[in-house]
Amino acid sequence: MLLKSVKSSLLLVLIVLSQHVYATEGMWLPQLLSNLNEKEMKGMGMKINASDIYNINKGSLKDAIVSFGGFCTAEVISSQGLILTNHHCGYGSIQKHSSLENNYLENGFWAKTFAEELPNAGLTATFIVRIDDITKEATAGVTKAMSETERQSVIDQKLAEIKKSAKRESWQDVMIKPFFEGNKYYLFVTETYKDVRLVGTPPSSIGKFGSDTDNWVWPRHTGDFSMFRIYAGKDGKPAEYSKDNVPLKPKYFLPISMKGVKKDDFTMVMGFPGRTMEYLPSEAVKQTVEVLDFAKVEMRDAALKIIDGYMRKNEQIKIQYAAKFASTANYWKKWQGEMLGIKKTDGIGKKQRYEVEYNRLLNANPALKQQYAGVLDTLNALYVQINPYAQARDYYSELTKNAEIYSAIDKFLEYTDNAEKQKGNADGYAKARTDFQNTIKAFYANFNAGVDKDVFISLMDIYVNKVPEKFRDAKFNASWKKYNGDSRKLADYVYATSAFTSFDKVNALAQLPFEQMMQQAVNDPAVQLAIFLREGFANQVAPTLNALQLDINKRQRTYMKAQMDVFEGKKNFYPDANSTLRVTYGKVDGYSPKDAVEYDYYTWLDGVMEKYIPGDYEFDVPAKLIELYKKKDYGKYGVNGRMPVCFIASNHTTGGNSGSPALNAYGQLIGLNFDRTWEGTMSDINYDPSICRNIMVDIRYVLFIVDKFAGCTRLVEEMKLVN
């Protein structure tokens, strides 16, 4: 009996150790890897050192990673500033260069020379130069007796002083971010390049293959990549766009492995993940998936069905709404996967069991118990209390975000604020008007009043049915009753009489003398309705919501500190994502999302052809790709007569990691991160290694498309390919 017990204990230990080896959760700060992660990473197969990843004295991996536009990641892959990112990250820029005559979304684009590379106003590429821990300096003067507002005021003052005195070059910038719910602060010295040009993109039938049906789904067969180039001034420093600028000579660029990957290979992803919330209490997780995700999915589901119907019938509308549809659908589907994943892995129960262990350890330590008693219980209770207000906020936000007439009104109101400030300055007033004209003209280029009206009708019905009357303004309720609760009748009136349904009408309004313009705007039915909606939120929801959220923020920070103290020595804590440079690592592996379903870790070009539906906007395949497939003409990029396309691994990623490089054990580029598996999208609040997988396009498929499909061999010749 004793022997059996010992064997069982040993088995349990082995299981725990095995889980630890594959415990790939975490988005780690690169400058801390040598102390926290290097040993584990090498145990998983990494062949380089932490100093090869982050080094301020010589070129390292961090010097090849850029924040692309502030919303994605890209990596430098040549000595001439060529960068690689996702097709969906470059989508907005590609769309702006597209027209019915030159439809780069439909047909792709490849610059044959440097001179043909296309500039993109406003697009930036930001490198991280240095990361410093400034927690001690930032929190100097903070006391426990301070209110949340007083505390933040002291910290803000300190941060302003630190930022001003930070050591940096004249062309460099300084960014400071809070970590661990404001328990730590780090300073980032950055370099931002403002001349980023489009070099190449495959057609959407490759770069967006599978479109919204396959989004967040595995198996995946999408060549989700595009190429840009960073240009600098002749001195090599950041500069505004100029024809005289030259391709950037980077501190480091990524060599590209032609070897591919196999099961259990070590993988590493570097990039700028946007936002995670891994340390929430159980009631917050429950709120996310049972209250807020449901509300947002409901609203976007209605909007997307309408837009999709128009896009399938009208090519012009398809171009106008392509980027907006993709952006809206992205998180709509993500939230659905998040709900599924939490249910599949019992994420709420997992949090509750974690809290039981937290309380056990807390109660066993008198000093910690005295310091943190009641923190978790109070925090959970606050999340229950805030639920109806947070839900009302999300219904309001989704209505005003997806019915775009409200976006036009917001831009107009911003203009009127600027114009009013310049009333005594003729030149300043004229500039404000010109700036507004340019902004609103670009907006209406991708706006269709008929589409927007139908979206308005659908979302207004949901909003009124789901947001209690007490959370709505009395004037809105009166307007609703005036039209007998018929959203179509309300929309007929608003869209027939408002100036905000076309550029010409809004532009004419903006040309009027200020007082006359304001009088007409105030009487505009769309503006009146927007004001009623906003006042309902501002007066009936926001005060209680903000007060509760302020209390939650304070207690969440305390709970974060409590977790780190209670579990001290038992686990390493990584900070939640906040759009700063991070490293995550894992293993190539398949997964099982549900009973009797097992997914392999690789997909091939054969799968593209299996999904092929001629003429379908999601699953059509270019004739040239079909020809290459039939001939098995894969060049040096194929493997035993087959062409690899995508693979998955257990790297912990999120939004912002789109475009991040997937690196092998030697720090060589093996793929391009672009998505997560649907059930694993809940990794933002509940990472689980059993189903959380990131999806990457194999770098050999990227090179095959560039070289064999597009014939843009000059780009491949820039790169350093290694075997």
Side-chain angles (χ1 to χ4, degrees), residues 100-324:
L100 288 173
E101 294 75 26
N102 293 298
N103 193 337
Y104 297 141
L105 288 175
E106 184 80 18
N107 304 317
F109 166 80
W110 299 97
K112 301 301 182 184
T113 64
F114 286 99
E116 291 181 9
E117 295 173 358
L118 302 175
N120 301 279
L123 184 59
T124 59
T126 300
F127 292 88
I128 301 298
V129 177
R130 188 180 78 247
I131 308 173
D132 296 332
D133 186 344
I134 58 163
T135 305
K136 186 176 180 180
E137 297 90 335
T139 57
V142 170
T143 66
K144 292 182 179 179
M146 289 179 174
S147 68
E148 191 70 4
T149 304
E150 291 169 337
R151 179 185 188 276
Q152 195 57 52
S153 178
V154 169
I155 289 176
D156 287 344
Q157 185 176 348
K158 291 288 183 182
L159 295 183
E161 295 170 2
I162 294 167
K163 188 172 183 179
K164 187 176 181 179
S165 62
K167 184 179 178 181
R168 63 183 176 93
E169 302 293 346
S170 60
W171 63 87
Q172 295 173 339
D173 298 311
V174 171
M175 172 181 71
I176 298 174
K177 289 273 187 118
F179 291 76
F180 296 111
E181 306 289 351
N183 283 292
K184 291 188 78 69
Y185 287 85
Y186 286 94
L187 177 147
F188 297 77
V189 177
T190 64
E191 286 181 349
T192 297
Y193 290 81
K194 300 177 181 179
D195 186 354
V196 181
R197 304 183 194 179
L198 176 63
V199 175
T201 176
S204 291
S205 53
I206 292 174
K208 205 171 182 290
F209 182 78
S211 193
D212 301 299
T213 296
D214 274 5
N215 191 24
W216 304 107
V217 168
W218 183 257
R220 200 67 177 275
H221 300 86
T222 312
D224 195 347
F225 77 94
S226 57
M227 291 179 168
F228 291 75
R229 193 183 304 278
I230 302 173
Y231 281 76
K234 290 185 176 180
D235 58 1
K237 296 179 176 60
E240 297 289 343
Y241 169 78
S242 168
K243 290 183 179 179
D244 296 328
N245 285 347
V246 296
L248 174 71
K249 300 297 181 185
K251 295 177 185 176
Y252 188 83
F253 67 91
L254 298 178
I256 297 172
S257 172
M258 297 291 286
K259 189 177 179 181
V261 297
K262 61 182 184 300
K263 191 177 187 301
D264 290 336
D265 272 359
F266 173 85
T267 56
M268 177 170 61
V269 170
M270 293 185 70
F272 295 83
R275 185 167 182 254
T276 58
M277 298 173 288
E278 304 292 348
Y279 303 103
L280 295 172
S282 57
E283 286 295 339
V285 176
K286 186 183 295 186
Q287 177 196 84
T288 298
V289 296
E290 294 182 359
V291 179
L292 305 185
D293 281 355
F294 179 85
K296 291 180 288 192
V297 166
E298 183 180 21
M299 293 290 269
R300 294 200 179 192
D301 188 49
L304 288 167
K305 283 180 180 177
I306 291 164
I307 296 171
D308 180 65
Y310 276 97
M311 288 175 67
R312 289 179 180 273
K313 297 174 185 175
N314 187 299
E315 189 67 22
Q316 180 63 39
I317 291 175
K318 181 180 175 182
I319 292 174
Q320 287 179 308
Y321 280 79
K324 288 185 285 192

Side-chain angles (χ1 to χ4, degrees), residues 7 35 81 105 137 157 166 211 219 253 267 332 368 373 407 433 442 455 487 514 521 550 650 657 672 694 718:
K7 285 183 176 179
N35 292 328
L105 288 175
E137 297 90 335
Q157 185 176 348
S211 193
F253 67 91
T267 56
W332 162 77
L368 292 179
S407 298
R433 177 184 286 169
V455 170
S487 60
F514 184 81
L550 198 65
S650 57
N657 276 126
L672 186 62
N694 66 308
E718 283 188 41

Side-chain angles (χ1 to χ4, degrees), residues 597-663:
V597 176
E598 293 281 345
Y599 283 129
D600 200 357
Y601 61 90
Y602 242 121
T603 61
W604 305 83
L605 190 55
D606 308 72
V608 174
M609 300 307 160
E610 290 168 0
K611 291 180 177 179
Y612 172 40
I613 303 174
D616 185 85
Y617 90 97
E618 292 186 305
F619 293 104
D620 202 359
V621 175
K624 178 70 176 292
L625 188 59
I626 296 173
E627 179 186 349
L628 291 168
Y629 173 74
K630 287 180 177 178
K631 292 180 178 179
K632 300 294 183 280
D633 185 8
Y634 305 140
K636 59 187 174 183
Y637 312 112
V639 181
N640 298 323
R642 302 179 76 193
M643 187 68 237
V645 176
C646 296
F647 65 98
I648 55 174
S650 57
N651 301 289
H652 188 177
T653 61
T654 188
N657 276 126
S658 290
S660 288
L663 306 168

Side-chain angles (χ1 to χ4, degrees), residues 551-568:
D551 201 2
I552 284 173
N553 292 347
K554 178 179 179 179
R555 294 178 190 276
Q556 186 71 44
R557 183 178 67 250
T558 305
Y559 178 51
M560 183 72 250
K561 182 69 166 61
Q563 292 177 79
M564 297 171 78
D565 288 347
V566 166
F567 290 102
E568 186 178 17

Side-chain angles (χ1 to χ4, degrees), residues 355-626:
E355 290 170 0
V356 169
E357 179 63 7
Y358 163 86
N359 281 322
R360 185 186 72 78
L361 293 172
L362 178 67
N363 292 329
N365 187 318
L368 292 179
K369 184 177 180 181
Q370 182 178 7
Q371 185 177 357
Y372 298 121
V375 168
L376 176 57
D377 290 342
T378 302
L379 188 56
N380 270 324
L382 283 168
Y383 272 105
V384 173
Q385 192 177 348
I386 204 174
N387 270 344
Y389 298 93
Q391 185 184 55
R393 173 202 61 207
D394 282 1
Y395 276 119
Y396 167 77
S397 175
E398 289 297 314
L399 170 63
T400 55
K401 184 182 297 181
N402 289 289
E404 289 193 294
I405 195 168
Y406 295 118
S407 298
I409 291 169
D410 283 343
K411 295 178 190 300
F412 176 78
L413 294 177
E414 183 179 348
Y415 158 63
T416 60
D417 286 343
N418 294 334
E420 188 169 27
K421 293 173 185 175
Q422 301 293 336
K423 281 174 68 175
N425 179 353
D427 291 340
Y429 191 92
K431 184 179 184 305
R433 177 184 286 169
T434 300
D435 289 345
F436 171 69
Q437 284 177 315
N438 293 334
T439 298
I440 207 70
K441 187 174 184 179
F443 170 83
Y444 280 107
N446 293 318
F447 176 88
N448 181 287
V451 176
D452 200 59
K453 178 182 175 182
D454 281 352
V455 170
F456 171 96
I457 291 167
S458 185
L459 299 193
M460 189 62 73
D461 281 337
I462 298 172
Y463 174 79
V464 174
N465 287 330
K466 293 299 178 71
V467 176
E469 189 170 336
K470 65 179 181 179
F471 287 160
R472 308 194 305 256
D473 184 75
K475 292 178 182 176
F476 172 84
N477 292 330
S479 295
W480 185 249
K481 290 173 183 176
K482 176 182 176 182
Y483 291 93
N484 299 315
D486 189 327
S487 60
R488 182 164 293 280
K489 288 182 180 178
L490 175 61
D492 285 343
Y493 172 69
V494 169
Y495 282 76
T497 57
S498 174
F500 291 89
T501 56
S502 75
F503 168 73
D504 289 340
K505 291 178 183 178
V506 174
N507 188 42
L509 179 64
Q511 302 305 314
L512 297 173
F514 184 81
E515 301 301 334
Q516 187 180 349
M517 175 183 70
M518 291 303 297
Q519 185 61 45
Q520 286 197 22
V522 167
N523 291 325
D524 188 280
V527 174
Q528 288 183 339
L529 196 60
I531 291 172
F532 298 162
L533 283 165
R534 184 173 298 176
E535 286 183 349
F537 175 75
N539 298 327
Q540 311 303 122
V541 178
T544 303
L545 178 73
N546 292 340
L548 287 170
Q549 191 62 57
L550 198 65
D551 201 2
I552 284 173
N553 292 347
K554 178 179 179 179
R555 294 178 190 276
Q556 186 71 44
R557 183 178 67 250
T558 305
Y559 178 51
M560 183 72 250
K561 182 69 166 61
Q563 292 177 79
M564 297 171 78
D565 288 347
V566 166
F567 290 102
E568 186 178 17
K570 294 177 176 62
K571 63 178 291 187
N572 288 330
F573 284 84
Y574 61 92
D576 273 319
N578 60 358
S579 297
T580 56
L581 183 61
R582 303 297 180 89
V583 175
T584 178
Y585 50 93
K587 293 256 187 176
V588 174
D589 200 4
Y591 78 110
S592 176
K594 52 189 175 183
D595 184 45
V597 176
E598 293 281 345
Y599 283 129
D600 200 357
Y601 61 90
Y602 242 121
T603 61
W604 305 83
L605 190 55
D606 308 72
V608 174
M609 300 307 160
E610 290 168 0
K611 291 180 177 179
Y612 172 40
I613 303 174
D616 185 85
Y617 90 97
E618 292 186 305
F619 293 104
D620 202 359
V621 175
K624 178 70 176 292
L625 188 59
I626 296 173

